[in-house]
Amino acid sequence: MQEFKSFPFDIHDVEESDKRELSKYFLGAGKFSIQVGPKKYLLMSDYEHDAENIYNMPLRHDDIFLVTFPRSGTTWTLELVWLLASNLDYSTAAKTHDNLMESLNKKHADNPEYLKTLQAMRTPGSEQASKMASPRFIRTHLPLSFLPPTLLDSTKVVYVARDPRDVAVSYYHLSRDFQSFIFNGDFKTYWSLFIRDLVYWSPFFEHVKEAWQMRHHPNMLFLFYEELLQNMPATLQRVATFLGKEYRADQIEELSTHLKFENFKNNPAVGIYDMKEYGMMASKGEFVRKGKSGGWRDYFDEDMTREAQLWIDNNLQNTDMRFPSMQ
């Protein structure tokens, strides 16, 4: 039986000035936000009640964790990891992934209003994980330091990083459309909050660098989102090898076609349309948007571009990490 350990980081309220700014732009964010640890990760307040349970969650030998900062290709990568680990079982994938709304619809068919309030009801992450059948594919936006300390010695972890400028653009659109956020400012304002670590799960670079430092661990696979776009077949082979799987070139090609962004975006198994139906996302919103690299250039003026480059350079000065899009 594993030893239960105290959560090693302080959890505290957001500073008053930051709380006011968050409340100004995000629905309820100032009131329901906390900062955790010396890096001051900004999280939703309900995390405080589950932090110790997540830190101590029992791990299984066949677990696969997918860890990302939000809007870094999480859903897309989960699909490819699940398929590679599951012997390319496309039929089961179509039935399995993200069918939460379908089950809730059956359970509460006589009470549709209940479904529309689900966004205010969050089942603790540790409880969700404990009920999952093995092998578990667990995706999380939490940084590695908040996950069980034996994680990399016990399970396989795939981490995906993406150019922060593209992350910010994608996160901005989600924050405007997702009913739990409802950001009411323009992109320039959002970018200012992003680089000041005032969006959920930030600071961005601390999140990514925690994983980068562990990239040589045999149970860690560090991927860049841009690698998937630039050479999908080669990246799929890397993931397959990491998972101990072997596939023929034609199988990898078939998977590459399945994962082409338009095919993936229109895949009903992704479960995005249900979010709109039950009021969790604006009717015109897109959870899976464009899936490209460099789209940030359509949103940044010259001053923002210079500011972004300075911010990136400052954060990368003591590391050899470079995003493929920046090389």
Side-chain angles (χ1 to χ4, degrees):
M1 187 173 181
Q2 70 178 43
E3 177 187 358
F4 194 87
K5 299 180 179 180
S6 298
F7 187 66
F9 303 109
D10 292 333
I11 299 176
H12 50 84
D13 290 337
V14 176
E15 293 181 8
E16 197 60 38
S17 59
D18 290 337
K19 186 182 294 186
R20 286 195 298 270
E21 190 156 14
L22 286 169
S23 297
K24 180 180 178 182
Y25 293 109
F26 294 95
L27 176 68
K31 184 178 180 181
F32 302 115
S33 301
I34 54 175
Q35 288 179 316
V36 186
K39 298 173 184 177
K40 297 184 177 180
Y41 283 107
L42 182 67
L43 300 174
M44 299 175 193
S45 58
D46 54 358
Y47 169 73
E48 181 174 5
H49 308 294
D50 205 29
E52 202 161 66
N53 292 328
I54 293 172
Y55 193 71
N56 286 278
M57 65 180 288
L59 300 170
R60 306 174 193 170
H61 74 279
D62 54 357
D63 286 342
I64 298 176
F65 276 69
L66 175 61
V67 185
T68 67
F69 191 87
R71 313 311 293 168
S72 299
T74 316
T75 307
W76 194 30
T77 310
L78 180 65
E79 176 85 353
L80 73 87
V81 169
W82 193 95
L83 282 165
L84 287 170
S86 304
N87 301 317
L88 303 180
D89 187 353
Y90 293 102
S91 60
T92 300
K95 301 172 185 176
T96 300
H97 294 338
D98 296 310
N99 60 359
L100 172 64
M101 288 303 175
E102 180 181 348
S103 62
L104 288 172
N105 192 29
K106 292 177 181 177
K107 185 175 181 180
H108 301 281
D110 59 342
N111 188 7
E113 287 304 311
Y114 173 83
L115 293 168
K116 294 183 179 180
T117 64
L118 281 175
Q119 59 266 39
M121 301 172 60
R122 299 188 181 97
T123 302
S126 61
E127 183 179 333
Q128 293 180 44
S130 68
K131 295 178 179 178
M132 293 172 66
S134 294
R136 297 185 299 184
F137 296 82
I138 299 175
R139 55 180 167 183
T140 180
H141 295 317
L142 290 174
L144 286 179
S145 55
F146 294 177
L147 298 175
T150 59
L151 182 70
L152 282 172
D153 294 326
S154 306
T155 68
K156 289 188 178 294
V157 178
V158 177
Y159 188 94
V160 185
R162 185 184 187 186
D163 186 317
R165 295 164 295 192
D166 284 324
V167 168
V169 170
S170 182
Y171 210 173
Y172 162 69
H173 283 283
L174 178 71
S175 298
R176 288 196 313 169
D177 296 330
F178 209 64
Q179 298 303 297
S180 295
F181 294 165
I182 312 186
F183 178 72
N184 59 24
D186 59 15
F187 177 71
K188 198 164 191 175
T189 301
Y190 192 86
W191 173 249
S192 174
L193 295 170
F194 188 90
I195 63 175
R196 287 185 290 136
D197 305 330
L198 291 178
V199 300
Y200 284 129
W201 290 284
S202 60
F204 171 84
F205 273 108
E206 293 301 332
H207 197 293
V208 174
K209 287 191 286 189
E210 281 193 26
W212 182 254
Q213 291 169 359
M214 302 304 297
R215 69 192 183 281
H216 296 307
H217 192 289
N219 281 338
M220 163 69 83
L221 179 63
F222 190 105
L223 295 176
F224 287 106
Y225 180 89
E226 292 78 10
E227 292 176 307
L228 286 164
L229 293 175
Q230 293 169 5
N231 194 337
M232 174 73 78
T235 307
L236 291 178
Q237 286 286 10
R238 281 182 60 201
V239 178
T241 299
F242 174 70
L243 297 175
K245 298 287 186 176
E246 292 185 12
Y247 295 105
R248 302 185 308 272
D250 64 304
Q251 292 176 306
I252 292 295
E253 189 60 37
E254 181 183 11
L255 180 56
S256 297
T257 300
H258 174 80
L259 292 167
K260 279 185 179 178
F261 205 80
E262 282 308 311
N263 294 340
F264 174 74
K265 182 176 179 177
N266 296 321
N267 182 350
V270 175
I272 304 308
Y273 306 105
D274 291 325
M275 291 186 177
K276 298 178 182 180
E277 182 179 348
Y278 294 115
M280 298 173 71
M281 192 169 185
S283 59
K284 295 181 180 179
E286 294 181 292
F287 187 84
V288 178
R289 290 186 64 250
K290 297 186 177 180
K292 67 178 184 178
S293 177
W296 63 267
R297 292 182 177 85
D298 297 332
Y299 292 80
F300 283 64
D301 59 28
E302 290 185 8
D303 288 340
M304 293 170 68
T305 299
R306 285 192 295 268
E307 178 184 51
Q309 192 60 58
L310 179 61
W311 175 70
I312 291 167
D313 291 344
N314 287 340
N315 278 282
L316 292 181
Q317 62 183 347
N318 295 319
T319 175
D320 59 352
M321 185 182 72
R322 297 295 181 269
F323 291 84
S325 57
M326 300 178 191
Q327 294 176 350

